[in-house]
Amino acid sequence: LRVNPRRKQVDVIEVLDAALRAHGVARLPADLGLDDEQFSAAVVKAPSTRPDRYTILERLDLDEGATRERVTSYVDALDH
């Protein structure tokens, strides 16, 4: 991570977007052929697909509504 020393804070979204673009990986649900609702549903279901594995999703413990809000916020931030 390179930070311009004149900047007081790093724009995390810009850094994330640049990294995803540089590596040619999916950035948005649409890049995977999913709409935001389908992607949100997959995120909600994900912990139950590997119950023996702990991820940040269990720690966040988001319900469907909160997951949709986070996905929408993420998409809005990256889809500029």
Side-chain angles (χ1 to χ4, degrees):
L1 173 64
R2 292 188 189 129
V3 179
N4 182 332
R6 288 177 253 178
R7 291 178 72 179
K8 298 285 184 207
Q9 103 184 41
V10 176
D11 186 342
V12 176
I13 290 295
E14 285 181 18
V15 172
L16 175 63
D17 190 36
L20 295 173
R21 286 178 188 271
H23 293 287
V25 298
R27 298 169 40 250
L28 303 166
D31 297 339
L32 300 170
L34 302 172
D35 63 30
D36 294 357
E37 286 294 318
Q38 291 169 317
F39 187 81
S40 294
V43 170
V44 168
K45 183 167 175 54
S48 69
T49 64
R50 301 283 299 271
D52 57 324
R53 198 174 273 200
Y54 180 79
T55 70
I56 189 68
L57 296 174
E58 285 86 10
R59 184 156 183 348
L60 293 173
D61 195 27
L62 301 173
D63 63 17
E64 289 182 40
T67 301
R68 276 194 300 279
E69 287 176 18
R70 297 256 181 132
V71 168
T72 298
S73 177
Y74 171 82
V75 169
D76 289 346
L78 278 168
D79 196 18
H80 52 310

